[in-house]
Amino acid sequence: MLFCSKLENHTGILLVLLGQFFLVIGLIAVICNRKAKPYPFIVLVFPLAGIALLVCGIYILTKGEIALSMLDQYAPYILIWIFPLAGIMMIAGTLGKIRYLKQVCTQEVQAKCVDIESASAAGTHRRKHVTMPVYSISYNGEEKLLRKGMYTNLNHFEIGAYYNIRINPTNPDEYLDENNRKGNNLILILGVVLLVVTLPAIVYMYINGI
């Protein structure tokens, strides 16, 4: 009984801490994307996961062995549906964003790459650097910088080179960069992979009535 009590406390506390982490990260992502068009619904996964973990952790801390038994029984079902839902949201969000930009970005302009911003992304063996081009365009007789692209290491851009992009005539901060399409393709591929990997498990559970 003492071992079970310690296990309950450790599991509950761990889930509460993880829930707080995902909730804070999720709320930051939601706030940062509040004006994005169309809204990237994939960011909602993080706060929802945080709330779920918080509820599970608090329930375990208050209900003990009963909660652990329920968690052991239903965790596989929760986990098996998280991945395909995330895949669907990744695919729908990316396709929705591309469709929206194609509708509103009707003016083609030549953009000069004036800088390349870089960031670090965690790799399997070492940290990888991903980059994003910073464009300069002439808009209403003034120079305007565009830096709302996607960080990726799949493309190579050169400072000083010119690239054709399409902008929203009324809001140039919204632009479609076909030169950086590999980043969107990668998200679509990852979404499809999540669906393909989990689909056999879902079919197996359905066939066997699990």
Side-chain angles (χ1 to χ4, degrees):
M1 293 295 293
L2 180 61
F3 174 76
C4 289
S5 177
K6 290 182 177 180
L7 180 61
E8 293 158 10
N9 289 333
H10 290 166
T11 303
I13 292 172
L14 178 61
L15 290 178
V16 168
L17 291 175
L18 285 175
Q20 291 176 341
F21 172 77
F22 278 101
L23 184 58
V24 170
I25 296 298
L27 290 177
I28 292 174
V30 169
I31 293 172
C32 291
N33 289 277
R34 66 186 184 280
K35 295 182 179 180
K37 294 181 180 180
Y39 191 81
F41 290 101
I42 186 65
V43 301
L44 297 178
V45 171
F46 296 98
L48 292 176
I51 293 173
L53 290 172
L54 272 174
V55 172
C56 289
I58 294 172
Y59 190 73
I60 287 175
L61 290 174
T62 56
K63 296 296 183 179
E65 293 183 21
I66 299 175
L68 279 177
S69 176
M70 292 180 62
L71 182 64
D72 181 65
Q73 180 179 358
Y74 293 107
Y77 300 97
I78 298 173
L79 291 175
I80 201 65
W81 281 105
I82 286 178
F83 295 106
L85 288 176
I88 292 172
M89 294 179 74
M90 291 172 68
I91 295 171
T94 302
L95 292 178
K97 180 180 179 180
I98 294 174
R99 180 181 179 184
Y100 170 78
L101 290 177
K102 284 185 175 181
Q103 289 177 342
V104 299
C105 298
T106 56
Q107 181 178 345
E108 185 170 321
V109 298
Q110 270 205 331
K112 181 180 180 180
C113 180
V114 295
D115 193 13
I116 297 178
E117 295 186 352
S118 63
S120 295
T124 53
H125 301 292
R126 63 179 184 274
R127 298 188 70 83
K128 298 179 180 179
H129 287 284
V130 290
T131 59
M132 178 189 70
V134 179
Y135 292 125
S136 172
I137 65 170
S138 176
Y139 182 74
N140 289 339
E142 298 181 355
E143 181 186 21
K144 184 171 182 60
L145 296 181
L146 306 178
R147 49 162 44 90
K148 291 188 177 180
M150 178 183 297
Y151 283 97
T152 177
N153 61 353
L154 300 177
N155 299 298
H156 176 71
F157 293 91
E158 295 183 2
I159 295 178
Y162 287 85
Y163 300 90
N164 291 326
I165 65 173
R166 289 164 54 189
I167 66 170
N168 182 344
T170 59
N171 180 17
D173 286 323
E174 294 181 339
Y175 63 95
L176 179 64
D177 185 8
E178 296 286 355
N179 308 289
N180 204 12
R181 67 172 63 185
K182 290 182 180 179
N184 289 326
N185 291 342
L186 179 60
I187 296 178
L188 291 174
I189 291 172
L190 290 176
V192 172
V193 168
L194 287 176
L195 288 175
V196 172
V197 169
T198 54
L199 185 60
I202 294 175
V203 172
Y204 175 82
M205 294 174 66
Y206 177 79
I207 293 176
N208 293 274
I210 300 178

PDB file of all heavy atoms in Angstrom, residues 12-31:
ATOM      1  N   GLY A  12       0.886  11.458 -10.184  1.00  0.00           N
ATOM      2  CA  GLY A  12       0.021  12.639 -10.164  1.00  0.00           C
ATOM      3  C   GLY A  12       0.806  13.928 -10.281  1.00  0.00           C
ATOM      4  O   GLY A  12       0.451  14.823 -11.056  1.00  0.00           O
ATOM      5  N   ILE A  13       1.888  14.035  -9.522  1.00  0.00           N
ATOM      6  CA  ILE A  13       2.708  15.243  -9.561  1.00  0.00           C
ATOM      7  C   ILE A  13       3.348  15.420 -10.929  1.00  0.00           C
ATOM      8  O   ILE A  13       3.395  16.531 -11.475  1.00  0.00           O
ATOM      9  CB  ILE A  13       3.796  15.184  -8.461  1.00  0.00           C
ATOM     10  CG1 ILE A  13       3.138  15.265  -7.076  1.00  0.00           C
ATOM     11  CG2 ILE A  13       4.802  16.328  -8.632  1.00  0.00           C
ATOM     12  CD1 ILE A  13       4.101  15.034  -5.939  1.00  0.00           C
ATOM     13  N   LEU A  14       3.836  14.320 -11.508  1.00  0.00           N
ATOM     14  CA  LEU A  14       4.455  14.391 -12.837  1.00  0.00           C
ATOM     15  C   LEU A  14       3.458  14.875 -13.884  1.00  0.00           C
ATOM     16  O   LEU A  14       3.772  15.731 -14.713  1.00  0.00           O
ATOM     17  CB  LEU A  14       5.005  13.014 -13.227  1.00  0.00           C
ATOM     18  CG  LEU A  14       5.636  12.924 -14.629  1.00  0.00           C
ATOM     19  CD1 LEU A  14       6.831  13.863 -14.729  1.00  0.00           C
ATOM     20  CD2 LEU A  14       6.063  11.486 -14.927  1.00  0.00           C
ATOM     21  N   LEU A  15       2.233  14.333 -13.838  1.00  0.00           N
ATOM     22  CA  LEU A  15       1.219  14.750 -14.814  1.00  0.00           C
ATOM     23  C   LEU A  15       0.822  16.211 -14.616  1.00  0.00           C
ATOM     24  O   LEU A  15       0.590  16.931 -15.596  1.00  0.00           O
ATOM     25  CB  LEU A  15      -0.015  13.853 -14.690  1.00  0.00           C
ATOM     26  CG  LEU A  15       0.159  12.405 -15.168  1.00  0.00           C
ATOM     27  CD1 LEU A  15      -1.119  11.618 -14.943  1.00  0.00           C
ATOM     28  CD2 LEU A  15       0.545  12.369 -16.639  1.00  0.00           C
ATOM     29  N   VAL A  16       0.745  16.653 -13.363  1.00  0.00           N
ATOM     30  CA  VAL A  16       0.417  18.057 -13.095  1.00  0.00           C
ATOM     31  C   VAL A  16       1.499  18.980 -13.642  1.00  0.00           C
ATOM     32  O   VAL A  16       1.209  20.005 -14.272  1.00  0.00           O
ATOM     33  CB  VAL A  16       0.224  18.288 -11.580  1.00  0.00           C
ATOM     34  CG1 VAL A  16       0.169  19.789 -11.269  1.00  0.00           C
ATOM     35  CG2 VAL A  16      -1.054  17.621 -11.100  1.00  0.00           C
ATOM     36  N   LEU A  17       2.767  18.609 -13.423  1.00  0.00           N
ATOM     37  CA  LEU A  17       3.872  19.426 -13.927  1.00  0.00           C
ATOM     38  C   LEU A  17       3.885  19.464 -15.453  1.00  0.00           C
ATOM     39  O   LEU A  17       4.060  20.527 -16.065  1.00  0.00           O
ATOM     40  CB  LEU A  17       5.202  18.887 -13.396  1.00  0.00           C
ATOM     41  CG  LEU A  17       5.442  19.053 -11.891  1.00  0.00           C
ATOM     42  CD1 LEU A  17       6.738  18.365 -11.476  1.00  0.00           C
ATOM     43  CD2 LEU A  17       5.478  20.532 -11.514  1.00  0.00           C
ATOM     44  N   LEU A  18       3.704  18.283 -16.075  1.00  0.00           N
ATOM     45  CA  LEU A  18       3.647  18.239 -17.535  1.00  0.00           C
ATOM     46  C   LEU A  18       2.458  19.041 -18.053  1.00  0.00           C
ATOM     47  O   LEU A  18       2.558  19.729 -19.081  1.00  0.00           O
ATOM     48  CB  LEU A  18       3.561  16.787 -18.012  1.00  0.00           C
ATOM     49  CG  LEU A  18       4.842  15.958 -17.934  1.00  0.00           C
ATOM     50  CD1 LEU A  18       4.564  14.515 -18.318  1.00  0.00           C
ATOM     51  CD2 LEU A  18       5.915  16.540 -18.854  1.00  0.00           C
ATOM     52  N   GLY A  19       1.330  18.938 -17.357  1.00  0.00           N
ATOM     53  CA  GLY A  19       0.141  19.682 -17.763  1.00  0.00           C
ATOM     54  C   GLY A  19       0.368  21.183 -17.714  1.00  0.00           C
ATOM     55  O   GLY A  19      -0.031  21.916 -18.627  1.00  0.00           O
ATOM     56  N   GLN A  20       1.034  21.651 -16.664  1.00  0.00           N
ATOM     57  CA  GLN A  20       1.332  23.076 -16.562  1.00  0.00           C
ATOM     58  C   GLN A  20       2.252  23.522 -17.690  1.00  0.00           C
ATOM     59  O   GLN A  20       2.066  24.594 -18.273  1.00  0.00           O
ATOM     60  CB  GLN A  20       1.984  23.373 -15.203  1.00  0.00           C
ATOM     61  CG  GLN A  20       1.039  23.226 -14.026  1.00  0.00           C
ATOM     62  CD  GLN A  20       1.743  23.433 -12.701  1.00  0.00           C
ATOM     63  OE1 GLN A  20       2.968  23.344 -12.613  1.00  0.00           O
ATOM     64  NE2 GLN A  20       0.984  23.718 -11.657  1.00  0.00           N
ATOM     65  N   PHE A  21       3.253  22.686 -17.998  1.00  0.00           N
ATOM     66  CA  PHE A  21       4.206  23.025 -19.069  1.00  0.00           C
ATOM     67  C   PHE A  21       3.488  23.159 -20.415  1.00  0.00           C
ATOM     68  O   PHE A  21       3.631  24.164 -21.117  1.00  0.00           O
ATOM     69  CB  PHE A  21       5.298  21.960 -19.151  1.00  0.00           C
ATOM     70  CG  PHE A  21       6.218  22.114 -20.325  1.00  0.00           C
ATOM     71  CD1 PHE A  21       7.218  23.072 -20.314  1.00  0.00           C
ATOM     72  CD2 PHE A  21       6.081  21.307 -21.449  1.00  0.00           C
ATOM     73  CE1 PHE A  21       8.069  23.232 -21.402  1.00  0.00           C
ATOM     74  CE2 PHE A  21       6.932  21.456 -22.538  1.00  0.00           C
ATOM     75  CZ  PHE A  21       7.928  22.419 -22.505  1.00  0.00           C
ATOM     76  N   PHE A  22       2.697  22.129 -20.781  1.00  0.00           N
ATOM     77  CA  PHE A  22       1.997  22.158 -22.062  1.00  0.00           C
ATOM     78  C   PHE A  22       0.963  23.281 -22.098  1.00  0.00           C
ATOM     79  O   PHE A  22       0.752  23.895 -23.157  1.00  0.00           O
ATOM     80  CB  PHE A  22       1.330  20.814 -22.336  1.00  0.00           C
ATOM     81  CG  PHE A  22       2.247  19.772 -22.902  1.00  0.00           C
ATOM     82  CD1 PHE A  22       2.772  18.784 -22.096  1.00  0.00           C
ATOM     83  CD2 PHE A  22       2.608  19.787 -24.238  1.00  0.00           C
ATOM     84  CE1 PHE A  22       3.632  17.821 -22.606  1.00  0.00           C
ATOM     85  CE2 PHE A  22       3.467  18.843 -24.765  1.00  0.00           C
ATOM     86  CZ  PHE A  22       3.979  17.851 -23.941  1.00  0.00           C
ATOM     87  N   LEU A  23       0.325  23.560 -20.966  1.00  0.00           N
ATOM     88  CA  LEU A  23      -0.683  24.611 -20.930  1.00  0.00           C
ATOM     89  C   LEU A  23      -0.058  25.980 -21.150  1.00  0.00           C
ATOM     90  O   LEU A  23      -0.579  26.792 -21.924  1.00  0.00           O
ATOM     91  CB  LEU A  23      -1.429  24.582 -19.595  1.00  0.00           C
ATOM     92  CG  LEU A  23      -2.587  25.576 -19.436  1.00  0.00           C
ATOM     93  CD1 LEU A  23      -3.630  25.364 -20.524  1.00  0.00           C
ATOM     94  CD2 LEU A  23      -3.221  25.437 -18.061  1.00  0.00           C
ATOM     95  N   VAL A  24       1.067  26.238 -20.495  1.00  0.00           N
ATOM     96  CA  VAL A  24       1.743  27.532 -20.656  1.00  0.00           C
ATOM     97  C   VAL A  24       2.250  27.694 -22.089  1.00  0.00           C
ATOM     98  O   VAL A  24       2.026  28.743 -22.726  1.00  0.00           O
ATOM     99  CB  VAL A  24       2.916  27.654 -19.655  1.00  0.00           C
ATOM    100  CG1 VAL A  24       3.758  28.888 -19.980  1.00  0.00           C
ATOM    101  CG2 VAL A  24       2.384  27.741 -18.232  1.00  0.00           C
ATOM    102  N   ILE A  25       2.928  26.651 -22.613  1.00  0.00           N
ATOM    103  CA  ILE A  25       3.421  26.715 -23.996  1.00  0.00           C
ATOM    104  C   ILE A  25       2.260  26.896 -24.963  1.00  0.00           C
ATOM    105  O   ILE A  25       2.332  27.674 -25.923  1.00  0.00           O
ATOM    106  CB  ILE A  25       4.211  25.438 -24.342  1.00  0.00           C
ATOM    107  CG1 ILE A  25       5.474  25.327 -23.484  1.00  0.00           C
ATOM    108  CG2 ILE A  25       4.588  25.428 -25.822  1.00  0.00           C
ATOM    109  CD1 ILE A  25       6.455  26.454 -23.684  1.00  0.00           C
ATOM    110  N   GLY A  26       1.168  26.167 -24.711  1.00  0.00           N
ATOM    111  CA  GLY A  26       0.001  26.265 -25.585  1.00  0.00           C
ATOM    112  C   GLY A  26      -0.633  27.639 -25.566  1.00  0.00           C
ATOM    113  O   GLY A  26      -1.015  28.175 -26.614  1.00  0.00           O
ATOM    114  N   LEU A  27      -0.759  28.235 -24.370  1.00  0.00           N
ATOM    115  CA  LEU A  27      -1.355  29.570 -24.269  1.00  0.00           C
ATOM    116  C   LEU A  27      -0.485  30.609 -24.972  1.00  0.00           C
ATOM    117  O   LEU A  27      -1.006  31.525 -25.629  1.00  0.00           O
ATOM    118  CB  LEU A  27      -1.549  29.946 -22.795  1.00  0.00           C
ATOM    119  CG  LEU A  27      -2.638  29.167 -22.054  1.00  0.00           C
ATOM    120  CD1 LEU A  27      -2.679  29.573 -20.584  1.00  0.00           C
ATOM    121  CD2 LEU A  27      -4.005  29.390 -22.696  1.00  0.00           C
ATOM    122  N   ILE A  28       0.839  30.468 -24.845  1.00  0.00           N
ATOM    123  CA  ILE A  28       1.741  31.385 -25.548  1.00  0.00           C
ATOM    124  C   ILE A  28       1.544  31.264 -27.060  1.00  0.00           C
ATOM    125  O   ILE A  28       1.473  32.269 -27.779  1.00  0.00           O
ATOM    126  CB  ILE A  28       3.211  31.098 -25.168  1.00  0.00           C
ATOM    127  CG1 ILE A  28       3.459  31.459 -23.698  1.00  0.00           C
ATOM    128  CG2 ILE A  28       4.164  31.886 -26.064  1.00  0.00           C
ATOM    129  CD1 ILE A  28       4.830  31.078 -23.198  1.00  0.00           C
ATOM    130  N   ALA A  29       1.451  30.014 -27.548  1.00  0.00           N
ATOM    131  CA  ALA A  29       1.256  29.794 -28.987  1.00  0.00           C
ATOM    132  C   ALA A  29      -0.085  30.353 -29.455  1.00  0.00           C
ATOM    133  O   ALA A  29      -0.183  30.954 -30.534  1.00  0.00           O
ATOM    134  CB  ALA A  29       1.352  28.304 -29.298  1.00  0.00           C
ATOM    135  N   VAL A  30      -1.131  30.167 -28.637  1.00  0.00           N
ATOM    136  CA  VAL A  30      -2.460  30.673 -28.987  1.00  0.00           C
ATOM    137  C   VAL A  30      -2.451  32.193 -29.064  1.00  0.00           C
ATOM    138  O   VAL A  30      -2.992  32.795 -30.001  1.00  0.00           O
ATOM    139  CB  VAL A  30      -3.502  30.191 -27.963  1.00  0.00           C
ATOM    140  CG1 VAL A  30      -4.827  30.924 -28.160  1.00  0.00           C
ATOM    141  CG2 VAL A  30      -3.727  28.689 -28.106  1.00  0.00           C
ATOM    142  N   ILE A  31      -1.813  32.839 -28.088  1.00  0.00           N
ATOM    143  CA  ILE A  31      -1.765  34.301 -28.061  1.00  0.00           C
ATOM    144  C   ILE A  31      -0.947  34.841 -29.239  1.00  0.00           C
ATOM    145  O   ILE A  31      -1.344  35.810 -29.897  1.00  0.00           O
ATOM    146  CB  ILE A  31      -1.175  34.788 -26.724  1.00  0.00           C
ATOM    147  CG1 ILE A  31      -2.139  34.456 -25.576  1.00  0.00           C
ATOM    148  CG2 ILE A  31      -0.921  36.299 -26.761  1.00  0.00           C
ATOM    149  CD1 ILE A  31      -1.570  34.724 -24.205  1.00  0.00           C
TER     150      ILE A  31
END
